[in-house]
Amino acid sequence: MRITRAEAAALGRKRSPRPPKEREIQKAILAFLRTVPGVVAWKSGGGMFRLEYKGKARMVRMGHRGVSDIIGWRADVSTCQRCTPSRVALFLAIEVKAARGVLTPEQQAFLDAVKAAGGIAFVARSVSDVAAGLGVG
């Protein structure tokens, strides 16, 4: 037998809070990144959609497989020992995952490639993960 919300409230039961969805985490992270000096970031467009042409339907992929959910750059100062300091931009890739989300092999390969090229790349499940990944308080 199911009970209504009103009946559950009357019994003093509360629903356990649901974990935030990935898109909610992305939105909070993007809002946070707008407050970090030197960081420019946006949601990477990707996915698939259905396209119909001359009566035939097919799925079309937008973007590349594995590209992180949030990409951009972080301004930094070069620390070359033989040259004068100059401003550079480090590529930034943030793969956003919900609490139980798992990276695909393509996503892991993209993050590894960004790191190997000297960029900043990590997985974030919250805004605090992003703050830690960027080394900001």
Side-chain angles (χ1 to χ4, degrees):
M1 175 177 124
R2 288 187 75 163
I3 62 173
T4 66
R5 286 185 189 185
E7 291 169 334
L11 293 172
R13 293 183 187 173
K14 291 185 179 180
R15 287 184 171 185
S16 60
R18 68 167 176 77
K21 294 181 179 179
E22 192 171 300
R23 69 175 170 261
E24 295 167 341
I25 299 168
Q26 279 181 10
K27 187 176 179 181
I29 289 172
L30 286 167
F32 171 73
L33 289 172
R34 284 191 285 277
T35 69
V36 180
V39 172
V40 176
W42 59 92
K43 184 179 179 321
S44 171
M48 295 184 77
F49 68 95
R50 181 184 167 100
L51 179 68
E52 236 177 273
Y53 180 70
K54 294 186 179 181
K56 292 184 180 180
R58 63 182 178 146
M59 297 300 288
V60 177
R61 177 172 299 282
M62 299 299 293
H64 295 282
R65 285 184 182 210
V67 173
S68 294
D69 297 313
I70 298 173
I71 58 174
W73 67 82
R74 180 176 190 181
D76 200 7
V77 176
S78 168
T79 56
C80 175
Q81 293 177 351
R82 295 183 186 174
C83 57
T84 58
S86 60
R87 290 188 64 81
V88 296
L90 299 176
F91 188 80
L92 174 65
I94 303 171
E95 183 60 43
V96 180
K97 289 292 178 192
R100 295 185 184 178
V102 179
L103 286 176
T104 66
E106 293 89 357
Q107 290 168 332
Q108 185 63 59
F110 183 78
L111 293 175
D112 292 344
V114 170
K115 287 179 191 175
I120 303 167
F122 54 88
V123 177
R125 297 179 190 280
S126 66
V127 170
S128 60
D129 289 349
V130 176
L134 294 175
V136 296

